[in-house]
Amino acid sequence: MSRMHSSLRYFRRPGPLVAVSVVYLLLVSGVMIWRGISVSPDYLLLLLVPVALLSGRFLRFLRDWVPFIALFLGYEAIRGIAPKSGIQPHYGFVITDDKALFGGTDPSQWLQAHLGSLHWLAVACTVVYFCHFIIPIAVGMVLWLVDRVQFLRFTVGLLAMSFAAFVVFLLLPVAPPWLAGQDHLLPGVHSLISLPSAVSPYYNWLNPDAAAAFPSLHAAYPLLAALALWPVTRRGAVLAFTWCAAVWFSVVYLGQHYVTDVIGGIVFAVVTWLIITKILVPMIPSLQHKPAAVPAGLEPGSSEPSSTDLDTAEPAGSQERAATPMGPGGSDR
């Protein structure tokens, strides 16, 4: 029994807990993608329950995650309003912009003409594309386990950016390249999604908007995740930035987004994070790291606590670790 408690204490340490949780989430999500099941936010919430139980913070998990996922799904639900606005999807300006950026050549057209026959590449890019929700939820899980304040900043930014993008989807609907291909505006461009994906009944009922290419949230979500990881773990952030490049290539190659959409997503993510860190954090106490508390008996000017407080004092540095984010490298140190 003591060995079991010792093992549980070990796996509840930030480093092992993050490693086990990330491996678990990616493994289960990989199996779901392999079996043709879309990894939507409602499924991901259920997948995170074992992580919450292992962490010993199940009630805090419910308090932090359920409202976040509920708002996330609420955003997905209101996206279905956009097609009912009566505004016709735009095609022209994004096609014109992409061709201007690449010397008269459309990137999706060129990539599919030269690489479209590579089935393995289409499958790999499809897997990357299907990780649209997995990566921000996984990063949110890491932040929640290591630095709850940074988790709150990230989730506030993610939701704010999503709802701001919805306003653009509503007022300026943009058809993706594959839809432009169907309308003969981009001959030869198709949707190269190469794996089946059965969404959950609830997510299917939401009926997300197809004409929501600009800005690309596929481009914005992983970049916002990388920016949120940077103060916590440099290695994790570098991996996230590398993943961003894979996503940006994949969405253009698969015919799901224009390069202009990707640039718009990048701008949305960077501006959102600057607003969170430079404007909202100084104004909202719950988004601030509280300074470490002074142990009882350690008055200003004294060098050590009184003898009556030594037995009840917290272990040295424990309050500071709990109250402040991990430095460069985070758990990699």
Side-chain angles (χ1 to χ4, degrees):
M1 185 64 70
S2 61
R3 182 175 297 179
M4 182 181 299
H5 285 302
S6 177
S7 299
L8 187 59
R9 283 196 301 270
Y10 171 76
F11 282 110
R12 282 181 173 174
R13 294 169 55 194
L17 184 57
V18 167
V20 169
S21 301
V22 169
V23 170
Y24 157 76
L25 186 60
L26 294 180
L27 180 62
V28 176
S29 299
V31 171
M32 291 178 68
I33 292 174
W34 172 53
R35 300 303 298 172
I37 303 171
S38 176
V39 192
S40 54
D42 48 342
Y43 283 155
L44 285 168
L45 177 64
L46 298 177
L47 291 179
L48 289 177
V49 169
V51 175
L53 293 172
L54 180 61
S55 72
R57 290 176 273 170
F58 184 69
L59 293 179
R60 172 169 284 188
F61 168 80
L62 293 178
R63 187 171 68 246
D64 289 343
W65 280 92
V66 171
F68 165 53
I69 297 296
L71 287 169
F72 209 174
L73 290 174
Y75 154 74
E76 291 293 322
I78 66 173
R79 279 183 60 187
I81 299 173
K84 301 178 179 64
S85 67
I87 302 175
Q88 293 300 312
H90 293 266
Y91 294 89
F93 81 92
V94 278
I95 296 175
T96 301
D97 289 351
D98 269 25
K99 289 184 176 181
L101 288 171
F102 291 89
T105 300
D106 182 84
S108 291
Q109 258 185 333
W110 189 92
L111 287 173
Q112 292 196 6
H114 291 80
L115 305 175
S117 60
L118 300 177
H119 181 66
W120 65 267
L121 180 60
V123 171
C125 289
T126 299
V127 171
V128 172
Y129 182 78
F130 282 172
C131 290
H132 177 49
F133 292 118
I134 298 173
I135 298 304
I137 298 295
V139 169
M141 179 192 65
V142 170
L143 294 174
W144 183 74
L145 292 171
V146 175
D147 185 343
R148 182 173 176 268
V149 171
Q150 193 72 354
F151 164 79
L152 293 176
R153 294 175 181 176
F154 173 61
T155 54
V156 168
L158 194 70
L159 289 170
M161 182 175 68
S162 298
F163 281 99
F166 165 73
V167 175
V168 179
F169 299 154
L170 183 64
L171 300 178
L172 187 69
V174 174
W178 65 265
L179 201 53
Q182 287 185 0
D183 290 342
H184 310 293
L185 296 175
L186 284 176
V189 175
H190 310 279
S191 175
L192 295 184
I193 299 295
S194 301
L195 294 173
S197 180
V199 299
S200 71
Y202 173 75
Y203 197 73
N204 186 56
W205 173 77
L206 295 180
N207 189 27
D209 182 17
F214 180 88
S216 169
L217 292 182
H218 274 84
Y221 281 0
L223 180 56
L224 190 73
L227 294 172
L229 279 174
W230 184 256
V232 177
T233 165
R234 294 290 193 266
R235 292 180 186 176
V238 169
L239 287 175
F241 282 122
T242 304
W243 180 262
C244 289
V247 172
W248 299 341
F249 171 84
S250 296
V251 296
V252 175
Y253 168 73
L254 294 173
Q256 304 302 312
H257 285 285
Y258 304 92
V259 171
T260 300
D261 301 337
V262 172
I263 294 172
I266 292 171
V267 171
F268 259 64
V270 172
V271 171
T272 297
W273 194 244
L274 287 175
I275 291 173
I276 292 292
T277 55
K278 303 301 183 184
I279 299 177
L280 294 186
V281 169
M283 294 172 54
I284 303 175
S286 61
L287 298 180
Q288 301 169 7
H289 288 103
K290 295 179 176 60
V294 178
L298 189 58
E299 302 296 335
S302 64
S303 58
E304 57 185 53
S306 64
S307 58
T308 58
D309 295 314
L310 290 176
D311 294 334
T312 58
E314 291 284 340
S318 64
Q319 293 180 347
E320 183 177 353
R321 286 194 300 273
T324 56
M326 303 176 71
S331 59
D332 303 319
R333 287 183 296 178

